[in-house]
C-alpha cells in the first residue's frame, strides 16, 4: 500500500495511513487488491476518520472482484469507477480470489504472437471522495507505480533533499477526480500502444494470406486474433459506457461559487471528454481491424478459389485435347476386318500424323482463347 499527500506545493509519500485529513490538498491511498482485502478493516477505519464515512459493502465487493467489467456507480458522498486496464507484456501475477488462497483464474495459454497475451485485463477500482482518492489495483500494478513516479517527479526542486528539477510540463492534480482521470488516461494510452502492435501483426498476416503460392497459414493464431479483437471491443464498450456515465454525473454537480472552482470543474469535464475520445478512437480502430481481418480471410479464400478454377480450366483443356485422340485410337482398335488404312504399310504414320495435327490445333486454339494461360 502506498499513501500520498498531494497539494499545490508538491507531493509527499506517507509511511502510514494518516489519522486526520491534511489542511490543504488531498490524500491518495493506492493499494493492491490482496492488501486491500487483508487490511479492509484498517482502511475502513481510516476512511471514517478522514472523510467521516465508509465504503458501502457492495462497493467493497466490486473492488475485490477481479473479474468485474468496467462500470460506474455513485452514492451521495462518493463516486465509484471500475476501469479495466491492460496487463503488461510480460504478464502480471493473478490476484488471489476473495476468501481463498489460490488465484482467481489461471492465466490463459494462448497460441499466436505475444501481442495477443496483452489483451488480458484486470480491473482497477477508484473511490472518489471530496478530499481523498482510494484506488484498488491488481498485484504489482505498473500503472500505479508509473504514475506515482511521475507524481514524485513533479515535485519542486529541493537542493537540501537532493531532488532534481521537476519534469517540464508536469502539473500536480488539483483534486481526487482529476487524479483519477489522469490515471485512467494513462491506462487508455496502453490500449493505443497495443493497437499499433496489432496493426503491424495483422498487416503481416494479410500479406501472408494474399500470397498466391502460400500453402501454410497459421489459422490458430488468426482465430486467436479475431477472438482477442472481439474481446477488446467488448472491453472498450464497457469502458466507454462507464466514462460516459461519469460525464453525465459531472453535469449534475453543483456549480462552484468561485471562478477557480468553476475553472477546475470545466477542466474535469474537458479531461473526461478527452478520455472518452481516446476510448472511442480505440473502439473505432479495433472494429476496423476486425473488419480488415475478416476481409483478408475472405480475399485469401477468393484467391485460392480462383487458383483452383485455373487448375480445373487447364485440366479441362488438356482433357479436350486428348478426347479426339482417344476417339481415333478407339476407332482403329475395333475388331473389324475391313478398316481404312488398316492393311497399308504407311497407315500407322497417317493416323499418328493426324493425331499430332489435331492435338497441336487444339492446343493452339485453347492458347489463343487463354484457356491454358495462368491468371495473374
Amino acid at each position: 500500500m502506498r499513501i500520498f499527500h498531494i497539494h499545490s506545493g508538491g507531493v509527499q509519500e506517507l509511511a502510514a495511513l494518516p489519522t486526520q485529513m491534511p489542511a490543504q490538498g488531498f490524500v491518495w491511498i493506492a493499494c493492491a487488491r490482496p492488501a486491500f482485502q487483508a487490511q479492509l478493516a484498517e482502511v475502513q477505519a481510516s476512511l471514517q476518520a478522514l472523510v467521516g464515512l465508509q465504503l458501502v459493502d457492495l462497493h467493497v465487493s466490486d473492488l475485490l472482484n477481479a473479474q468485474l467489467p468496467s462500470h460506474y456507480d455513485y452514492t451521495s458522498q462518493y463516486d465509484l469507477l471500475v476501469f479495466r486496464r491492460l496487463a503488461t507484456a510480460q504478464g502480471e501475477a493473478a490476484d488471489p480470489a476473495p476468501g481463498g488462497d489460490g488465484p482467481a483464474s489461471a492465466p490463459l495459454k494462448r497460441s499466436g504472437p505475444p501481442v495477443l497475451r496483452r489483451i488480458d485485463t484486470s480491473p482497477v477500482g477508484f473511490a472518489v471522495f471530496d478530499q481523498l482518492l482510494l484506488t484498488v489495483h491488481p498485484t504489482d500494478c505498473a500503472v500505479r507505480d508509473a504514475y506515482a513516479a511521475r507524481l514524485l517527479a513533479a515535485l519542486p526542486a529541493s537542493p537540501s533533499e537532493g531532488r532534481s528539477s521537476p519534469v517540464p510540463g508536469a502539473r500536480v492534480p488539483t483534486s481526487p477526480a482529476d487524479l483519477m482521470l489522469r490515471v485512467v488516461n494513462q491506462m487508455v494510452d496502453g490500449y493505443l500502444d497495443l493497437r499499433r502492435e496489432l496493426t503491424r501483426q495483422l498487416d503481416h498476416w494479410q500479406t501472408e494470406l494474399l500470397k498466391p503460392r502460400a500453402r501454410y497459414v497459421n489459422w490458430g493464431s488468426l482465430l486467436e486474433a479475431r477472438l482477442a479483437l472481439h474481446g477488446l471491443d467488448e472491453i472498450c464498450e464497457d469502458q466507454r459506457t462507464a466514462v460516459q456515465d461519469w460525464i453525465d454525473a459531472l453535469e449534475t454537480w453543483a456549480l462552484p461559487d468561485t471562478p477557480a472552482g468553476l475553472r477546475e470543474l470545466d477542466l474535469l469535464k474537458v479531461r473526461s471528454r478527452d478520455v472518452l475520445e481516446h476510448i472511442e478512437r480505440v473502439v473505432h480502430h479495433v472494429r476496423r481491424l476486425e473488419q480488415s481481418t475478416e476481409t483478408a480471410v475472405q480475399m485469401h479464400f477468393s484467391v485460392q478459389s480462383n487458383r483452383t478454377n485455373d487448375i480445373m480450366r487447364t485440366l479441362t483443356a488438356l482433357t479436350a485435347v486428348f478426347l479426339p485422340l482417344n476417339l481415333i485410337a478407339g476407332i482403329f482398335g475395333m475388331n473389324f476386318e475391313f478398316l481404312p488404312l488398316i492393311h497399308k504399310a504407311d497407315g500407322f504414320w497417317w493416323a499418328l500424323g493426324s493425331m499430332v495435327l489435331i492435338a497441336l490445333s487444339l492446343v493452339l486454339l485453347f492458347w489463343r482463347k487463354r484457356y491454358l494461360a495462368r491468371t495473374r
Side-chain angles (χ1 to χ4, degrees):
M1 180 183 298
R2 304 184 67 178
I3 303 101
F4 300 90
H5 175 212
I6 304 173
H7 52 89
S8 58
V11 182
Q12 179 185 4
E13 186 167 4
L14 307 178
L17 290 170
T19 57
Q20 62 181 0
M21 185 63 66
Q24 59 175 346
F26 63 96
V27 176
W28 177 23
I29 303 175
C31 56
R33 191 167 286 109
F36 178 74
Q37 182 181 5
Q39 304 177 22
L40 179 59
E42 182 181 355
V43 172
Q44 291 279 51
S46 298
L47 292 178
Q48 184 66 41
L50 294 175
V51 297
L53 69 149
Q54 298 181 351
L55 293 173
V56 179
D57 293 340
L58 291 177
H59 290 166
V60 172
S61 301
D62 290 344
L63 294 175
L64 291 176
N65 190 352
Q67 308 299 327
L68 195 68
S70 301
H71 80 285
Y72 168 77
D73 198 5
Y74 64 93
T75 66
S76 60
Q77 301 294 328
Y78 66 90
D79 297 282
L80 181 75
L81 179 69
V82 177
F83 197 89
R84 296 191 71 89
R85 63 102 178 102
L86 288 172
T88 59
Q90 291 81 14
E92 296 180 357
D95 294 329
D101 299 329
S105 60
L108 296 175
K109 294 183 178 180
R110 289 195 174 113
S111 60
V115 66
L116 294 178
R117 304 189 187 102
R118 295 188 57 190
I119 301 297
D120 295 333
T121 62
S122 297
V124 178
F126 300 87
V128 185
F129 298 85
D130 290 338
Q131 291 183 284
L132 185 142
L133 175 65
L134 172 66
T135 58
V136 180
H137 305 262
T139 306
D140 299 330
C141 183
V143 175
R144 177 196 62 185
D145 297 335
Y147 197 80
R150 185 176 178 181
L151 275 180
L152 295 176
L155 285 168
S158 177
S160 61
E161 298 182 8
R163 291 198 297 265
S164 59
S165 300
V167 176
R171 188 174 69 88
V172 177
T174 58
S175 65
D178 188 17
L179 176 58
M180 178 199 71
L181 291 175
R182 290 168 181 263
V183 177
V184 169
N185 190 48
Q186 184 172 348
M187 289 189 284
V188 175
D189 289 342
Y191 285 82
L192 294 175
D193 295 336
L194 174 66
R195 91 179 172 175
R196 287 191 288 268
E197 299 180 26
L198 278 173
T199 300
R200 288 194 295 267
Q201 181 63 56
L202 291 177
D203 288 343
H204 169 71
W205 274 336
Q206 289 177 4
T207 303
E208 293 297 321
L209 284 171
L210 296 180
K211 285 184 178 179
R213 296 183 178 273
R215 289 295 186 273
Y216 171 76
V217 176
N218 194 348
W219 295 108
S221 296
L222 186 60
L223 178 60
E224 288 286 348
R226 295 176 62 185
L227 294 177
L229 287 172
H230 183 69
L232 183 58
D233 187 14
E234 294 180 350
I235 291 172
C236 293
E237 280 292 341
D238 293 336
Q239 291 175 346
R240 180 167 61 179
T241 302
V243 174
Q244 184 62 55
D245 291 342
W246 160 261
I247 293 176
D248 295 339
L250 278 181
E251 298 296 335
T252 64
W253 286 17
L255 295 178
D257 298 330
T258 61
L262 286 174
R263 175 173 174 77
E264 182 179 344
L265 181 59
D266 289 339
L267 289 177
L268 280 179
K269 293 180 180 179
V270 170
R271 189 174 293 276
S272 300
R273 289 193 294 267
D274 181 68
V275 172
L276 182 63
E277 189 271 334
H278 284 188
I279 296 175
E280 290 178 346
R281 192 187 310 170
V282 175
V283 171
H284 174 72
H285 191 78
V286 167
R287 290 178 177 174
R288 188 172 62 183
L289 288 179
E290 284 187 281
Q291 183 180 4
S292 180
T293 304
E294 184 67 27
T295 302
V297 173
Q298 293 177 0
M299 290 179 65
H300 169 75
F301 283 113
S302 297
V303 170
Q304 295 299 322
S305 177
N306 190 38
R307 184 172 179 273
T308 302
N309 292 337
D310 286 345
I311 295 174
M312 294 303 299
R313 184 181 59 190
T314 303
L315 292 177
T316 303
L318 292 177
T319 303
V321 169
F322 283 95
L323 275 177
L325 309 186
N326 291 333
L327 176 62
I328 295 174
I331 291 174
F332 283 93
M334 294 179 180
N335 294 323
F336 291 102
E337 183 178 358
F338 300 101
L339 286 175
L341 306 177
I342 196 66
H343 295 293
K344 292 186 177 181
D346 54 353
F348 168 76
W349 300 109
W350 279 103
L352 184 61
S354 61
M355 293 171 67
V356 171
L357 180 61
I358 293 173
L360 292 177
S361 301
L362 290 176
V363 168
L364 180 60
L365 175 63
F366 293 154
W367 184 267
R368 289 178 61 87
K369 291 183 174 295
R370 299 183 181 273
Y371 292 166
L372 298 175
R374 179 180 298 178
T375 301
R376 294 185 180 275

